[in-house]
Amino acid sequence: MKKLLIFLTGIASIISFISCDDEVSPKADFQDLYVLSCVIRTDTNYQAATVSHSYDIEGFNPLESTNDPFIRGAKIKVFYNNTVYNFRDTAITRSGDSRFKTPMNIYYLKGLQPQYSLPIRIEAEMPDGRILSAESEIISVLSVFLTTTTTTISSQTSTSKINFSWGELLLAPGSRGVYYAPELVILYTHDKNGVIEKKQKKVPLYYANLETGELPIYPQIQSGIKNAGFEMEAIKKAIVEIAEGDQDKSGYKIEKALFRLLIMDAGLATYYAIQKTFLDEFSVRVNQPDATNIRGGLGVFGTYTIKQLEVQLTPDFIKSLGYN
């Protein structure tokens, strides 16, 4: 849930500016806009949404503003499988380093965990009566199957690549397509001065050899792909890098590999692909005219599903890479 809220707050706030005169100015014309952000997950019955408002600033640095752009009083509904679900509003405490000092207003919904590949719609009425809306589709966890021929990696594993494959079944009528973001991570713990931390290391597909050195190449979000293969040498190198530079590897415990397949609808995938980086914890770039699928405002409404497979790492394999 925490990760979802971080993602929503990252895409929820809009920084807009007002021009000083007709000459060249670092500020553009101010636009009075609402921003609706909601990502429906199929792995939980707790859904969240945020609503924020564009704002102007006195100077030229938007990060100096401490005026909270997140608003209360909106009425948000989701329509799915012939049922209407109403969000409720609440407030959560921000992190201590946030420039906004008041609790953040969010909207939440309990009891909706979509299980069928069907259309879904959101409608949000703002306090001033303006309506924001969008449509998407649920991609059921049952609509995608995931397989691999390698469930265990040992020092005797002879294959040069670990492959994962998937396929689609019974998508929603009129589906705009499914987008996939595959990733392989190594789960491990690090005992540092008696404090054990759970961590993970992302594995690239392979390392490209460049004049400047090796460059890790990771999977990208794409539609139409049905497999991902990770070179064994890349897996080994990623595990070695976990304790790179640390002479004492006894505090590291390599647990297992986990393949995750993030499955997104077209609306969320398009937004995610365009918005490569966020300006800060509560802002989003808006110089991309297509970075929204919300009618009547800005923001994103989308859905995602996660499927995953565990790959066991045998003790002899882990030991061969320098770990106990």
Side-chain angles (χ1 to χ4, degrees):
M1 184 61 213
K2 182 178 180 181
K3 290 183 179 180
L4 176 61
L5 290 178
I6 291 173
F7 177 72
L8 289 176
T9 54
I11 62 178
S13 180
I14 292 295
I15 297 176
S16 301
F17 310 106
I18 187 167
S19 61
C20 298
D21 47 46
D22 294 331
E23 299 178 357
V24 176
S25 169
K27 282 189 172 185
D29 292 333
F30 175 73
Q31 298 182 63
D32 183 21
L33 297 169
Y34 284 107
V35 187
L36 171 64
S37 301
C38 180
V39 178
I40 301 295
R41 299 170 49 178
T42 64
D43 61 338
T44 178
N45 67 355
Y46 188 103
Q47 312 298 340
T50 60
V51 178
S52 59
H53 200 283
S54 59
Y55 60 92
D56 188 25
I57 58 173
E58 294 292 334
F60 300 101
N61 183 4
L63 300 184
E64 293 180 353
S65 173
T66 58
N67 295 322
D68 189 353
F70 293 85
I71 65 170
R72 297 183 61 184
K75 298 178 181 178
I76 304 177
K77 298 179 180 180
V78 164
F79 303 81
Y80 172 71
N81 197 20
N82 298 319
T83 303
V84 180
Y85 298 87
N86 294 284
F87 281 77
R88 302 177 64 180
D89 62 346
T90 187
I92 60 174
T93 303
R94 285 190 169 93
S95 61
D97 57 354
S98 172
R99 73 176 189 272
F100 304 115
K101 304 307 177 185
T102 57
M104 184 179 69
N105 297 307
I106 69 164
Y107 297 82
Y108 71 95
L109 169 62
K110 292 183 178 180
L112 171 60
Q113 185 172 359
Q115 297 296 310
Y116 306 104
S117 293
L118 295 170
I120 189 168
R121 180 167 62 92
I122 192 170
E123 183 178 290
E125 182 180 351
M126 300 298 104
D128 61 4
R130 275 187 275 182
I131 302 294
L132 278 64
S133 63
E135 289 84 29
S136 183
E137 62 180 290
I138 293 297
I139 304 166
S140 169
V141 68
L142 302 176
S143 295
V144 177
F145 61 88
L146 176 62
T147 63
T148 182
T149 56
T150 305
T151 57
T152 301
I153 298 177
S154 71
S155 57
Q156 281 75 47
T157 299
S158 59
T159 181
S160 63
K161 186 180 291 187
I162 305 299
N163 293 299
F164 300 89
S165 303
W166 55 89
E168 301 164 359
L169 296 167
L170 302 174
L171 296 178
S175 172
R176 295 170 56 200
V178 182
Y179 288 75
Y180 299 99
E183 68 173 13
L184 180 67
V185 296
I186 305 298
L187 303 182
Y188 69 98
T189 59
H190 184 206
D191 186 344
K192 189 174 183 180
N193 299 323
V195 178
I196 299 177
E197 295 180 297
K198 292 184 177 181
K199 297 184 177 182
Q200 63 181 31
K201 168 75 173 179
K202 186 175 291 189
V203 178
L205 294 169
Y206 62 93
Y207 286 84
N209 292 314
L210 306 178
E211 292 183 358
T212 55
E214 292 185 315
L215 177 67
I217 305 299
Y218 296 93
Q220 302 297 314
I221 299 174
Q222 298 180 61
S223 64
I225 59 172
K226 294 296 187 293
N227 60 78
F230 298 82
E231 292 186 355
M232 273 297 300
E233 290 304 313
I235 296 173
K236 293 177 181 179
K237 184 175 177 60
I239 295 176
V240 170
E241 288 177 343
I242 287 175
E244 192 171 39
D246 193 339
Q247 298 299 318
D248 182 13
K249 293 182 172 58
S250 63
Y252 296 89
K253 182 181 180 183
I254 310 300
E255 297 185 342
K256 60 188 173 184
L258 181 66
F259 178 77
R260 288 193 290 245
L261 186 63
L262 179 59
I263 309 163
M264 287 178 273
D265 73 302
L268 180 59
T270 300
Y271 186 94
Y272 193 87
I274 291 175
Q275 304 301 327
K276 296 296 185 182
T277 58
F278 299 126
L279 295 179
D280 74 346
E281 179 188 7
F282 296 104
S283 62
V284 62
R285 294 179 185 271
V286 291
N287 56 349
Q288 302 281 359
D290 296 325
T292 178
N293 64 348
I294 302 295
R295 287 190 300 274
L298 293 175
V300 64
F301 176 59
T303 68
Y304 79 82
T305 296
I306 292 180
K307 292 192 76 98
Q308 57 188 35
L309 284 175
E310 293 184 1
V311 178
Q312 300 303 318
L313 306 176
T314 63
D316 63 299
F317 174 73
I318 295 171
K319 189 174 181 178
S320 70
L321 299 175
Y323 299 91
N324 294 325

